[in-house]
Amino acid sequence: MACIESLKYDIILQGASFKECRDFVRANCSEFVTVDPGFRIFEKAIIGVPPILIGLDGDVITFPFTKPCYGTYLLRTENPAEAARIRALKK
Amino acid sequence: MGSIAETKEKKEALLVLGCPQVPVQTGIALYLMYGLRRHGVVPVVAGNPAARMLVEVSDPLHHYVGEMIDIDTCIGDLADKKRAFSYYIVFIHNDAGVSYAATIQSITGKTIAALIYGEHFQDIAGSIDFPCEKISAKAVHNPMPMKKKIDEVLPWLVSNL
C-alpha cells in the first residue's frame, strides 16, 4: 500500500482546524466514519483532535493529514481497497 | 541483590518537538532535558528531521538527550502500544502542535504537559480543550520566560504526572 505522500491526492482544505475538517466532511461527503487519533490510514497513524471524521464517496476517501511544519490539510484520494476497509468499520 | 538505585524503575519522558521555526525551541528543549536528568528522568526526543538535527548538533555527546526517534514512528508505536513513557511533554507553537498533543493524549489516556510558546501562545492555549497541563509563556527569541516556567513547574510535574 502506498504511503500518503506518494498518493495522487487533491487538497481540499489547507491550514484547516479539525472542526473545519469535520464540518466539511459532514456537509460534503455521502457517508463518514468517526475514528480515534492513531487510527491507521494508508499505514500512517492519523494525527488530530478527536472526533476525527473520514469521509467516503464510493471509492473516494476524504481525510485530514497533519505535518508538523505545515499544519493540517484535508485530502481527497481514490483507493477502493482502503475505502472498503474504512467502510467496514461502520458495520 | 541490586541496590535501591539499580532496582528503581527507570523513568523516561517523551519530549515531542514541533517544527523548529520558533528560535527558542531547541534551547528550551535542552534546558528541560537538563532538568529532567536532575530528577532522574531520561529524556527521549521525537521530532521531524530538522528538529532532531538541531538537538543532535547542540548536544553531540548526548549529555542531556537520550534516544531520538522520528515523530511519525513514535506516534505509530504509541498507537500500537509498542512503547509507553512516564511523562509526555509536547512543544506547541502552532495548530499542528495542538494536533500532536491531542493525539498523544487520546492514544495514551494520560495527562500530558503542553509547553505552549511563540507569538500566539495565548490563542493556542485557548484552543486546547482536552485534558492537559498547560505551561505557557510568550517565548519567541528569548527563552527566559519559558525557562522560569519550567523552573517553577518541573518539580511538580515529575511528582504528579
Side-chain angles (χ1 to χ4, degrees), chain A residues 5 15-18 20 22 36-40 43-50 52 65-72, chain B residues 17-21 48 71-72 75-77 79-80 82 93-100 102-104 106-107 129-130:
Chain A
E5 292 181 48
S17 70
F18 276 82
E20 289 169 332
R22 280 195 293 274
D36 291 324
F39 172 79
R40 286 191 184 274
E43 297 183 349
K44 192 165 181 123
I46 205 163
I47 305 297
V49 180
I52 298 171
F65 179 58
T66 298
K67 298 187 75 170
C69 295
Y70 301 102
T72 299
Chain B
L17 302 184
C19 169
Q21 68 192 145
N48 71 7
I71 192 163
D72 291 328
I75 298 293
D77 285 352
D80 295 341
K82 289 180 182 170
H93 66 83
N94 60 11
D95 287 341
V98 176
S99 300
Y100 277 93
T103 300
I104 292 169
S106 175
I107 288 172
D129 57 4
F130 52 87

Side-chain angles (χ1 to χ4, degrees), chain A residues 68-69, chain B residues 16-21 25-26 29 45-58 68:
Chain A
C69 295
Chain B
V16 179
L17 302 184
C19 169
Q21 68 192 145
Q25 177 172 272
T26 305
V45 166
N48 71 7
R52 296 199 313 274
M53 197 56 68
L54 279 161
V55 172
E56 185 71 51
V57 168
S58 305
M68 291 207 278

